[in-house]
Amino acid sequence: MEYHGINGDLIKQYITFKRSIGYALDNTYTFKMFDRFTIEQGGDFIGLTRELADKWAEKQSERIRCYTI
């Protein structure tokens, strides 16, 4: 899977690392969603800020709320 956001290389490295220590990580859809999210947010900072994490958490809680109603 290709990642195009500012953290794309870090996401790929994380997935590679986790797989190297035995995790399957077959479903990487959430990583792709996060990559798209950082692009939408105009992310220009490599890494994870508290502000970005809070926005991501809010978006995920909205998404979950839509499925539980």
Side-chain angles (χ1 to χ4, degrees):
M1 188 168 282
E2 291 294 317
Y3 300 95
H4 303 286
I6 190 103
N7 292 301
D9 287 338
L10 292 175
I11 293 170
K12 286 187 251 182
Q13 289 174 13
Y14 178 78
I15 292 169
T16 299
F17 168 72
K18 292 301 264 187
R19 287 178 174 160
S20 77
I21 60 172
Y23 289 88
L25 285 180
D26 293 331
N27 184 354
T28 57
Y29 180 72
T30 302
F31 294 108
K32 187 64 177 171
M33 286 177 24
F34 181 73
D35 184 56
R36 274 192 238 129
F37 175 76
T38 60
I39 293 169
E40 291 167 5
Q41 294 299 310
D44 58 356
F45 175 79
I46 296 175
L48 185 61
T49 64
R50 174 146 189 151
E51 179 184 2
L52 185 63
D54 288 344
K55 287 180 181 179
W56 171 253
E58 178 62 30
K59 181 172 181 160
Q60 296 313 300
S61 67
E62 289 171 7
R63 186 175 66 88
I64 291 167
R65 214 177 1 251
C66 289
Y67 289 111
T68 59
I69 293 178

